Amino acid sequence: MAELTPKPVIWMGDSLEVLRDFPPLVQDEIGYAVYRAQMGSKHVSAKPLKGHGAGVLEVLSDHRGDTFRAVYTVRFARTVYVLHAFQKKSTRGIATPARELDLVKARLKLAEDLHRKREKQ
């Protein structure tokens, strides 16, 4: 069941600044996906990010031959954490580059630590 009020969003690292550099249509699609997460539901193009466990989702947005991605987590009951936003530039297949996955993993750990601290307050 969907929430009545949106959960707050915490943008990890430079994810918001990177998203703001994306084309406007991509910003709208990713922004709407994050809003759906805030409301307790899931955007049609949000898919689990393999290898990161439950509650870590990736949204892909294609625009004029380029692919843009955002990764967020809904693991925490009261907050959505946007972990990373990037343009996929790999020329080999659809796999997410290892450096991007490493950054997601590091920011997920930071989000977990931040969430624990916020819960203690």
Side-chain angles (χ1 to χ4, degrees), residues 10 12 15 56 71-73 81-85 103-104 107-108 111:
I10 295 179
M12 302 299 292
S15 56
V56 179
V71 179
Y72 62 91
T73 185
Y81 290 84
V82 179
L83 303 172
H84 190 29
L103 187 54
V104 167
R107 287 185 180 170
L108 181 58

Side-chain angles (χ1 to χ4, degrees), residues 13 34 51 63 85 88 104 106:
V34 171
H63 180 73
K88 184 176 178 298
V104 167

Side-chain angles (χ1 to χ4, degrees), residues 11-12 26-27 34 45 51 78 96-97 99-101 103 107:
W11 298 85
M12 302 299 292
V26 173
Q27 290 180 41
V34 171
S45 67
R78 294 190 284 272
T96 303
R99 72 180 179 282
E100 307 295 357
L101 294 174
L103 187 54
R107 287 185 180 170

Side-chain angles (χ1 to χ4, degrees), residues 22-121:
F22 289 172
L25 291 175
V26 173
Q27 290 180 41
D28 290 349
E29 184 172 11
I30 291 173
Y32 184 61
V34 171
Y35 171 74
R36 294 287 308 256
Q38 288 179 270
M39 297 305 291
S41 62
K42 189 176 91 155
H43 189 272
V44 66
S45 67
K47 309 286 184 226
L49 183 61
K50 292 178 183 170
H52 289 81
V56 179
L57 299 144
E58 178 178 44
V59 177
L60 280 75
S61 181
D62 291 318
H63 180 73
R64 296 185 179 176
D66 293 320
T67 300
F68 299 85
R69 298 181 181 201
V71 179
Y72 62 91
T73 185
V74 293
R75 283 187 183 171
F76 312 108
R78 294 190 284 272
T79 308
V80 175
Y81 290 84
V82 179
L83 303 172
H84 190 29
F86 61 99
Q87 179 179 358
K88 184 176 178 298
K89 296 185 179 189
S90 172
T91 58
R92 295 186 298 147
I94 61 169
T96 303
R99 72 180 179 282
E100 307 295 357
L101 294 174
D102 291 345
L103 187 54
V104 167
K105 184 177 179 181
R107 287 185 180 170
L108 181 58
K109 173 135 181 38
L110 288 172
E112 289 167 347
D113 294 345
L114 179 60
H115 184 72
R116 272 194 291 278
K117 288 177 187 172
R118 290 173 50 106
E119 288 294 303
K120 290 180 180 179
Q121 294 178 354

